Amino acid sequence: MRIELADIQDAAKRLEGVAVRTPLIENPTLNAIAGGRVLLKAECLQSTGSFKIRGAYNTLSRLSADAAERGVVAFSSGNHAQGVARAGQLLNIDTHIVMPADAPASKRENTARLGGNIVDYDRYSEDREAIARALAAERQAVIVPSFDHPDIIAGQGTAGLEIAEQAAAIGTEPTQAVICCGGGGLSAGCAIAMQSLLPGVRLYTSEPAAYDDTAQSLAAGRRMAVDTSVPSICDALLTPSPGELTFDILKGRVTAGLVVDESEVRAAMRFAFRELKLVIEPGGAVALAAVLSGKLETAGEVTAVMLSGGNVDSALFSEIQAEPN
Amino acid sequence: MRIELADIQDAAKRLEGVAVRTPLIENPTLNAIAGGRVLLKAECLQSTGSFKIRGAYNTLSRLSADAAERGVVAFSSGNHAQGVARAGQLLNIDTHIVMPADAPASKRENTARLGGNIVDYDRYSEDREAIARALAAERQAVIVPSFDHPDIIAGQGTAGLEIAEQAAAIGTEPTQAVICCGGGGLSAGCAIAMQSLLPGVRLYTSEPAAYDDTAQSLAAGRRMAVDTSVPSICDALLTPSPGELTFDILKGRVTAGLVVDESEVRAAMRFAFRELKLVIEPGGAVALAAVLSGKLETAGEVTAVMLSGGNVDSALFSEIQAEPN
């Protein structure tokens, strides 16, 4: 199935009054460092603290009355969990969410607070998809995937739609964009929206080292997988490989997959605290890290940078802020 | 001299491309707590990390060529310091800034980084105004006051102008507003702008306990002074009394002066981290604290809340985040 701008525009209508139209933020200090304009899409300010409510609500709102009645099952390290739980709360749909036992405490607490029923699993020894499938079979419930689904991709794409609209409202147009990338739902949706509205815009994904499956896949021209047993602070982005649908969209549209290491992610989180006054989580900092580390050439460009989420526990946040710059 | 909406609109023109048009942020969780709509004016996202660049740049840009040549002197705990230093940097005006030796390290560092020449004083034993006057006399330099000046008030009022415009753009109108208050420059400017554009809007100041000079003055109908030897984490708001000009504006316009204690300020900073993903400094959190503590009735209202700054050292920020909720 082909996802088009119209699908994303339809999703945007469904999300009115549900998802926050997050601001596109410009910071003089960051512009000076970049040598160009940088437009930050602050999805950390989104309802549930990340962009995930966009895709989750779009998907749940399109379920048949029958499917909605039976509830849904999802698996997620925490941001999709909160998005699905919140969408379920708003639409009165029962949600069961398979979450790793070592997910950030705040993500688990918020998911529960939003009415999600949490089912624990061990990220290193258990298969969350198998657990979710069993749970779904038992309940005759639909599984809401975290990225590889047309309604998810269209929902996440509304963030890209807003970037184009908000840039136009301040009289500019991004020449390039860099998007935080896990399974590729946000990147794929934003690619469709932005390349439809901004012909010529160059798109980049950004991933953490060791979880550069999209960068590897783009370079190889086919879906590559990484070893998901490697620890990483970027808990939101620990996917083994891009999705089938998402990679099919990304492969013809993304100029290159950028990769940042953990020290660059931590430095970006300190910059965000010190200069931007924004709380971003590790996985939400990878696109900014690509800019600050110089992995993306920004001189003379108008660069849209996705800050995809801000759900980080205060202990880790404080540990990172205490590090020297 | 009477300050009118037109003065604030003129200031807004001068500030184009200098001050950030900071977003007016809405958060579903906060709305639910408030039982109404809350519109957060995120001046923590402003250039230099607080609203102070608005008044500083407006004032410095209006100096005669002769006065600009001789440079300016200011005294400030840190946010006005950064605003003046940045305005001087942009306008190529030399700036000397008298700062307390115990100001937050980040405020001192940023002031120096922006080209401000820092002159230290001891907040408990020395008179910063006397030091600034001597310095100004020696250099034949103009003193840029931190609040009690028409150009400062008009500049800070542009934040209120934007609140009215940005609320209109999303189809709403604040019925009330609560503004963080030190000497009253921001409150006075916002009062003029907002009451000109939003007839019927009720305005409240918010101050930290022990520095409730504006609340006391509003209640007494004349300028009252507080003891500035009392320690407070709200370093941005430690003024002894409202200004002559600012109080003259505030006294006929403000419904009441609200007062929050330090635990309420700290709780607001934790809420901002956890739910809003915004970094706000103690002095920038007092208006939000008034809402979260229930000191301002928000049910059924559309409440504009000023988040006036985000310049807080990471050590204090982390200490506050580690506290139980």
Side-chain angles (χ1 to χ4, degrees):
Chain A
M1 131 157 217
R2 195 178 152 79
I3 303 159
E4 293 176 342
L5 178 62
D7 299 307
I8 297 170
Q9 290 167 328
D10 286 347
K13 286 197 195 84
R14 285 178 210 113
L15 290 171
E16 271 176 28
V18 172
V20 174
R21 192 175 170 89
T22 57
L24 195 63
I25 294 172
E26 201 166 357
N27 178 277
T29 304
L30 181 55
N31 281 353
I33 291 169
R37 287 185 83 169
V38 178
L39 308 174
L40 299 163
K41 183 60 172 170
E43 284 292 292
C44 49
L45 306 180
Q46 185 54 264
S47 172
T48 73
S50 88
F51 69 95
K52 290 286 192 178
I53 183 73
R54 297 176 182 269
Y57 187 90
N58 188 50
T59 304
L60 265 65
S61 70
R62 302 194 69 194
L63 291 178
S64 67
D66 202 40
E69 177 70 31
R70 290 193 303 269
V72 299
V73 171
F75 43 91
S76 160
S77 70
N79 282 339
H80 180 56
Q82 292 176 72
V84 170
R86 176 64 176 155
Q89 188 181 51
L90 289 168
L91 294 162
N92 202 22
I93 295 174
D94 202 40
T95 58
H96 279 76
I97 297 155
V98 182
M99 292 187 79
D102 65 348
S106 60
K107 291 183 175 179
R108 293 172 57 87
E109 286 159 16
N110 284 336
T111 302
R113 194 183 62 169
L114 294 166
N117 299 293
I118 298 176
V119 180
D120 279 329
Y121 83 103
D122 182 281
R123 204 165 68 77
Y124 300 100
S125 68
E126 293 187 281
D127 178 350
R128 66 179 187 176
E129 300 198 29
I131 296 170
R133 276 194 303 268
L135 199 61
E138 180 194 314
R139 309 181 68 84
Q140 296 188 279
V142 167
I143 290 183
V144 183
S146 56
F147 51 86
D148 218 24
H149 186 290
D151 291 339
I152 295 286
I153 295 169
Q156 319 304 32
T158 59
L161 192 66
E162 289 175 11
I163 291 174
E165 291 171 352
Q166 292 170 316
I170 56 168
T172 190
E173 235 181 54
T175 56
Q176 58 183 7
V178 53
I179 315 287
C180 311
C181 187
L186 179 63
S187 303
C190 287
I192 294 168
M194 294 184 73
Q195 292 189 332
S196 302
L197 296 167
L198 304 164
V201 68
R202 292 183 308 285
L203 293 170
Y204 298 85
T205 52
S206 186
E207 293 170 295
Y211 289 86
D212 61 341
D213 46 285
T214 294
Q216 285 189 32
S217 302
L218 289 166
R222 64 194 171 84
R223 291 167 68 220
M224 306 288 282
V226 297
D227 173 6
T228 56
S229 68
V230 181
S232 165
I233 57 166
C234 296
D235 61 278
L237 304 179
L238 308 188
T239 43
S241 62
E244 288 181 35
L245 276 177
T246 55
F247 184 65
D248 195 52
I249 294 165
L250 293 176
K251 69 173 191 265
R253 296 174 174 270
V254 173
T255 298
L258 308 175
V259 184
V260 292
D261 65 31
E262 187 167 312
S263 68
E264 291 163 339
V265 169
R266 297 170 93 100
M269 289 175 68
R270 287 194 295 278
F271 182 88
F273 170 82
R274 199 176 62 239
E275 301 290 344
L276 306 176
K277 313 303 176 189
L278 291 174
V279 176
I280 48 177
E281 64 181 282
V286 294
L288 178 62
V291 169
L292 291 172
S293 65
K295 300 224 163 127
L296 180 65
E297 179 58 66
T298 50
E301 304 282 349
V302 180
T303 307
V305 174
M306 183 64 71
L307 307 178
S308 56
N311 294 317
V312 55
D313 285 348
S314 62
L316 175 63
F317 190 81
S318 295
E319 174 194 312
I320 291 171
Q321 297 308 328
E323 293 163 353
N325 282 304
Chain B
M1 126 156 221
R2 193 178 153 78
I3 303 158
E4 293 177 343
L5 179 62
D7 299 306
I8 297 170
Q9 290 166 328
D10 286 347
K13 286 196 195 84
R14 285 180 209 110
L15 289 171
E16 270 176 29
V18 171
V20 173
R21 192 174 170 89
T22 57
L24 195 64
I25 293 172
E26 200 165 358
N27 178 278
T29 305
L30 181 55
N31 281 353
I33 291 169
R37 288 185 83 169
V38 178
L39 309 174
L40 300 162
K41 182 60 172 169
E43 284 292 292
C44 49
L45 306 180
Q46 185 52 264
S47 174
T48 73
S50 89
F51 69 95
K52 290 285 191 177
I53 183 71
R54 297 177 182 270
Y57 188 91
N58 188 49
T59 304
L60 266 64
S61 71
R62 302 196 69 195
L63 292 178
S64 67
D66 202 40
E69 177 71 29
R70 291 193 302 270
V72 299
V73 171
F75 43 90
S76 160
S77 69
N79 282 340
H80 181 56
Q82 292 176 73
V84 169
R86 175 64 177 155
Q89 187 181 52
L90 289 168
L91 294 162
N92 201 22
I93 294 174
D94 202 40
T95 59
H96 279 77
I97 297 154
V98 182
M99 291 186 78
D102 65 349
S106 60
K107 292 184 175 178
R108 294 172 57 87
E109 286 159 16
N110 284 335
T111 301
R113 194 183 62 168
L114 294 166
N117 299 292
I118 298 175
V119 180
D120 280 329
Y121 83 103
D122 182 282
R123 203 164 71 77
Y124 300 101
S125 69
E126 294 187 280
D127 179 350
R128 67 180 187 175
E129 300 198 29
I131 296 169
R133 276 194 303 270
L135 199 60
E138 179 194 316
R139 309 182 66 85
Q140 296 187 280
V142 167
I143 290 182
V144 183
S146 57
F147 51 85
D148 218 24
H149 186 290
D151 291 339
I152 294 285
I153 295 168
Q156 319 305 30
T158 58
L161 191 66
E162 289 175 10
I163 291 174
E165 291 171 353
Q166 291 170 316
I170 56 167
T172 189
E173 235 180 55
T175 56
Q176 58 184 7
V178 53
I179 315 287
C180 311
C181 187
L186 179 63
S187 302
C190 287
I192 294 167
M194 295 184 71
Q195 292 188 332
S196 302
L197 295 168
L198 304 164
V201 67
R202 294 183 309 285
L203 293 170
Y204 298 85
T205 53
S206 186
E207 292 170 296
Y211 289 86
D212 61 341
D213 46 286
T214 294
Q216 285 189 32
S217 301
L218 289 166
R222 64 192 171 86
R223 290 168 68 219
M224 306 289 280
V226 297
D227 173 5
T228 56
S229 69
V230 181
S232 166
I233 58 166
C234 297
D235 61 277
L237 304 180
L238 308 188
T239 43
S241 63
E244 288 181 35
L245 276 177
T246 56
F247 184 65
D248 195 53
I249 294 164
L250 294 175
K251 70 174 193 269
R253 295 174 173 272
V254 173
T255 299
L258 308 175
V259 184
V260 292
D261 65 32
E262 187 167 311
S263 68
E264 291 163 339
V265 170
R266 296 171 93 100
M269 290 176 67
R270 287 194 295 277
F271 182 88
F273 170 82
R274 199 176 62 239
E275 301 290 344
L276 307 176
K277 312 302 177 188
L278 291 174
V279 175
I280 48 178
E281 64 180 282
V286 295
L288 178 62
V291 169
L292 291 172
S293 65
K295 300 222 163 128
L296 180 66
E297 178 58 67
T298 50
E301 304 283 349
V302 180
T303 307
V305 174
M306 183 64 71
L307 307 178
S308 56
N311 294 317
V312 54
D313 286 348
S314 62
L316 175 61
F317 190 80
S318 296
E319 175 194 312
I320 291 170
Q321 297 307 329
E323 293 163 354
N325 283 304

